[in-house]
Amino acid sequence: QVQLVESGGGLVQTGGSLRVSCTASGSQFQHYSVAWYRQAPGKEREGISCISSTYVGSTTYTDSAKGRFTISRDDGENTVYLQMNNLKPEDTGVYYCGASYGRLCPPLRRPASFGGWGQGTQVTVFS
């Protein structure tokens, strides 16, 4: 199982953009699907997006992320990115990434399918 480190969070105004990164240690990163989750204060962790292993090349988004967020990966850097545009205050939270060994993304409603979670990176959107 790879271990992940999230970075790139910050403070941004409504309508702004931010890119968060998820960097993995370990080998065979290209065989892992990687998902982004968000946890707001007092709420459960919710899935945002997932990118499958490189050999499949598919992406999944929840309704709140469609059209605004883009997930991508650079296996040479062992990193998955989440580009977030048109940010809203409800996007505020700690962003985590998790990895799952295998070709396809597990359902985002099952965060227990992913592992290697890091400490997260805080994203705060103010109006």
Side-chain angles (χ1 to χ4, degrees):
Q1 178 70 50
V2 295
Q3 292 300 308
L4 305 171
V5 176
E6 303 91 344
S7 62
L11 192 65
V12 63
Q13 197 167 14
T14 297
S17 297
L18 205 59
R19 189 180 76 165
V20 290
S21 302
C22 170
T23 302
S25 61
S27 61
Q28 299 187 317
F29 180 67
Q30 68 273 22
H31 293 287
Y32 284 83
S33 298
V34 177
W36 281 99
Y37 283 75
R38 171 176 65 218
Q39 189 162 20
K43 294 187 177 181
E44 293 185 353
R45 195 170 294 191
E46 62 170 335
I48 300 171
S49 181
C50 184
I51 187 164
S52 68
S53 71
T54 299
Y55 305 101
V56 176
S58 65
T59 58
T60 304
Y61 298 93
T62 55
D63 288 344
S64 64
K66 286 178 183 176
R68 298 189 299 130
F69 294 0
T70 303
I71 192 170
S72 62
R73 66 189 299 156
D74 182 344
D75 290 338
E77 298 292 330
N78 271 19
T79 299
V80 168
Y81 303 99
L82 185 68
Q83 175 68 43
M84 303 183 289
N85 299 326
N86 191 22
L87 283 161
K88 305 175 182 179
E90 51 265 42
D91 294 319
T92 294
V94 179
Y95 282 66
Y96 299 91
C97 57
S100 177
Y101 188 87
R103 298 169 63 85
L104 299 176
C105 285
L108 286 171
R109 64 181 181 276
R110 298 211 299 249
S113 299
F114 298 90
W117 305 96
Q119 295 299 308
T121 186
Q122 175 71 45
V123 172
T124 302
V125 185
F126 64 95
S127 56

